[in-house]
Amino acid sequence: MPPVPMRRPDLSTWFRTPDYARYELFLIRGLFALVIWDAMPSAITVPSDPQPVGLGYWIDFSFLAQPQTLAASRWVLAGCLLLSTAGYFLCLALPIILLLLTAAGTIGASFGATTHSKQIIVLCVLAQAAWYGYAAIRKRKIGLVEHRFGAFAGAQAIAAAYVISGISKLAGDGNWLVDAVKNFQIQATKNQRMKYYNALSEETAESGSGLQGVLHSVLSPLLSTIEYLLLNSPIWRALFLGGGFMLELFAFLALIGRKMSLLVGGSLVLFHLTVFEIMGLRFRYNIYLLLIFMVGVPYWIATAIAAARRSRHLTQLD
């Protein structure tokens, strides 16, 4: 019997835009809109722009601190999110969403609330706005293919954010892993105490909220085991931190296909939940976007809905 030749992987199919179904695209846009709405502040307490950062050097965003202006801005944002969810006028809606998120984030950072927790959302909006703007300039009719690439642009932005984070660690003196392993316990204790003194309650300090809290509760036994290993073994700490670094550096592999996207995205979600368990550092927007664009929650929801509809149709035929 002649030997069976080995099949070589078809590299031409790598990094292609997934064949998102229409229902799936609608869910991706809708869930992303909910994340954006949650990220937009409902109140800004600072009356001025004391220490401008970024665009704040050229544009005074302190007008958002006025309740009437902020309320009007949220109404505009809601309208744009409805349009983006429906898939209409995205070349107009997405830049407005980008501007409002940037303005709110800029004025928030100007009075000391500097954080990068929402940057990944802005990056996704920026990537999608750039794509739909390019499509509008080229006078392309926005159809299924364009919407598919719009969703894929969000996944690309997420992967790029993690890869850049990994590369930034290589840009240092090269001893970051040794220092991180050595100082891990000190950093974990410091963050836990900061979390406690912010909440003045062990129960409140240890609890998560929203979807992150649900995932944390479901995976609590696994996360507690990982926490014990990391706090008591330098070898496990090195493996964990080194593994997290590799996940960041090679996050672009999630763009190969749905299976790899599920593997990389799921691993990053577990990594973030473990960091939250040990250090209390919340990356809930990262987790939300990973679940939407990489783990493929919209795909599984759309698949379940399609299966239920087929089953109902067959039942009616019987």
Side-chain angles (χ1 to χ4, degrees):
M1 185 175 179
V4 179
M6 294 182 61
R7 293 183 59 186
R8 294 182 178 180
D10 185 5
L11 300 184
S12 65
T13 62
W14 287 23
F15 305 107
R16 282 189 175 182
T17 305
D19 294 330
Y20 299 111
R22 292 185 185 275
Y23 284 153
E24 184 182 0
L25 288 169
F26 176 77
L27 288 171
I28 289 174
R29 295 193 298 265
L31 291 174
F32 188 32
L34 291 176
V35 174
I36 293 172
W37 181 255
D38 182 71
M40 185 68 179
S42 58
I44 298 177
T45 57
V46 62
S48 61
D49 198 0
Q51 297 292 331
V53 296
L55 290 177
Y57 284 111
W58 298 279
I59 304 174
D60 184 7
F61 291 118
S62 59
F63 64 89
L64 278 180
Q66 301 176 11
Q68 298 86 350
T69 306
L70 182 59
S73 300
R74 286 174 63 83
W75 276 108
V76 172
L77 178 64
C80 291
L81 291 177
L82 288 175
L83 287 174
S84 68
T85 301
Y88 295 113
F89 304 108
L90 288 161
C91 61
L92 176 63
L94 287 172
I96 295 175
I97 294 171
L98 180 63
L99 176 62
L100 291 174
L101 287 177
T102 302
T106 300
I107 191 172
S110 70
F111 62 94
T114 305
T115 173
H116 59 271
S117 63
K118 299 178 182 179
Q119 286 180 357
I120 195 167
I121 301 176
V122 178
L123 283 174
C124 284
V125 177
L126 175 62
Q128 292 184 338
W131 162 244
Y132 284 106
Y134 168 79
I137 292 173
R138 297 295 299 270
K139 297 182 179 179
R140 296 182 58 157
K141 183 179 179 181
I142 304 300
L144 181 60
V145 173
E146 286 71 25
H147 284 315
R148 282 174 173 171
F149 195 85
F152 194 47
Q156 291 174 341
I158 296 171
Y162 281 102
V163 171
I164 291 172
S165 177
I167 293 175
S168 67
K169 292 181 175 65
L170 294 175
D173 57 8
N175 294 325
W176 71 269
L177 182 58
V178 176
D179 295 336
V181 171
K182 182 174 62 176
N183 299 323
F184 187 85
Q185 289 176 307
I186 298 174
Q187 189 68 33
T189 302
K190 184 188 77 172
N191 287 336
Q192 287 174 352
R193 289 300 90 195
M194 286 174 60
K195 184 172 59 173
Y196 168 77
Y197 285 115
N198 283 335
L200 296 181
S201 167
E202 291 287 358
E203 181 179 357
T204 305
E206 293 298 327
S207 62
S209 61
L211 179 59
Q212 181 175 356
V214 173
L215 291 172
H216 182 271
S217 299
V218 172
L219 299 174
S220 182
L222 174 61
L223 297 176
S224 298
T225 302
I226 296 176
E227 178 184 18
Y228 174 81
L229 293 173
L230 294 179
L231 293 178
N232 292 278
S233 172
I235 296 177
W236 279 104
R237 288 199 290 272
L239 290 174
F240 176 75
L241 295 173
F245 164 70
M246 297 300 289
L247 277 175
E248 289 182 333
L249 195 61
F250 292 99
F252 65 88
L253 294 177
L255 305 176
I256 289 179
R258 289 190 185 273
K259 293 180 180 178
M260 187 62 73
S261 182
L262 174 62
L263 177 62
V264 175
S267 299
L268 285 170
V269 169
L270 181 61
F271 181 82
H272 283 308
L273 289 174
T274 304
V275 170
F276 173 69
E277 171 74 15
I278 299 173
M279 296 189 172
L281 299 176
R282 300 180 63 189
F283 289 89
R284 62 190 182 104
Y285 292 122
N286 290 60
I287 292 174
Y288 292 162
L289 296 192
L290 286 169
L291 291 174
I292 294 171
F293 289 100
M294 286 193 177
V295 175
V297 169
Y299 168 77
W300 299 110
I301 294 176
T303 300
I305 293 174
R309 293 182 64 180
R310 284 194 300 268
S311 176
R312 182 180 178 182
H313 179 67
L314 292 175
T315 302
Q316 290 176 347
L317 291 177
D318 293 341

